[in-house]
Amino acid sequence: RMAATTILLESMTPENAAAIRQAFLDITTQTGRRNDTEWALMVRRCGTVLGARAIKEFAADKNNAALAVEGFAFVDPEGALAAFKAEEGLGDSKTVTNAWLTGVCRKDPQKALTIALGGEHDGINGGALLNQAIQSAGVEGAREALQRALDAGPEDAVTSEAFPGLYNALADALLHKYITNETPGEMFKWLEKQKGQ
């Protein structure tokens, strides 16, 4: 089922997006079934394929709008930011801002982490963002992207609202990696390197 859903969503175009969306709605109206995971994948894909149009179509529900923003941000971060800021009720939404950063992070973790540490957006979920960076680049890639973002960011980046969540999620991921590798002592080495930074 997931393979079929993936193939269907990969085939989405601006011309068939409405029909695919309707098919998802038809499944629920005809059978009462719902699958939130598949629905989220479909809305994200609509954002990727339809851009600002998808944000308008899903704007009535902030969670769906956030998924559309995430999909749009994956292909056009600036366009997605402008589109959701222009949509009434979405511009100041922390949920939508976090979704936008997640979309940016799917393609460019360093860019997303630099934005998060810049301090111009409130309510950033640093833990979720770092976890997306790990999904995009692996734990070492996410660690490197965070270091480069810190190096490129303002001097007070470590005092930003987002930094504790980013750092704690990185520490959790490294600990999980070292425990899984049966080398938990490596965590002590990493923590030792953090002293004085």
Side-chain angles (χ1 to χ4, degrees):
R1 180 184 168 103
M2 186 54 76
T5 300
T6 302
I7 291 168
L8 173 69
L9 295 180
E10 284 299 314
S11 73
M12 185 185 287
T13 65
E15 294 75 29
N16 69 13
I20 290 173
R21 178 183 178 192
Q22 188 59 50
F24 275 77
L25 293 170
D26 290 346
I27 288 169
T28 300
T29 59
Q30 293 170 13
T31 69
R33 293 184 182 112
R34 59 183 266 187
N35 188 311
D36 295 340
T37 302
E38 292 171 1
W39 175 264
L41 291 171
M42 183 272 298
V43 176
R44 276 190 201 99
R45 184 69 179 152
C46 282
T48 301
V49 171
L50 299 175
R53 192 170 112 205
I55 295 170
K56 284 193 174 303
E57 288 179 15
F58 290 102
D61 180 290
K62 217 171 261 188
N63 291 323
N64 283 331
L67 292 167
V69 167
E70 181 183 332
F72 188 14
F74 177 68
V75 293
D76 183 0
E78 288 73 25
L81 181 64
F84 91 76
K85 291 286 185 185
E87 194 66 39
E88 188 175 334
L90 297 182
D92 60 351
S93 168
K94 292 178 175 117
T95 300
V96 177
T97 299
N98 278 295
W100 172 71
L101 275 173
T102 299
V104 173
C105 192
R106 285 173 49 206
K107 183 169 274 183
D108 189 344
Q110 183 183 340
K111 180 176 183 173
L113 297 174
T114 300
I115 292 168
L117 293 169
E120 61 186 90
H121 300 282
D122 295 330
I124 292 172
N125 184 335
L129 187 60
L130 198 282
N131 287 329
Q132 178 58 60
I134 291 168
Q135 293 304 312
S136 298
V139 71
E140 289 305 319
R143 185 192 59 73
E144 290 168 13
L146 179 57
Q147 187 61 59
R148 287 193 304 270
L150 286 166
D151 293 343
E155 287 185 22
D156 62 348
V158 294
T159 63
S160 70
E161 176 187 346
F163 181 74
L166 294 168
Y167 182 83
N168 290 336
L170 177 61
D172 287 346
L174 286 169
L175 179 60
H176 180 74
K177 175 186 174 185
Y178 294 138
I179 288 173
T180 302
N181 289 344
E182 298 181 2
T183 58
E186 294 296 314
M187 191 64 186
F188 293 113
K189 293 178 188 175
W190 182 79
L191 289 169
E192 191 67 28
K193 289 179 186 176
Q194 307 313 302
K195 289 183 179 176
Q197 292 195 43

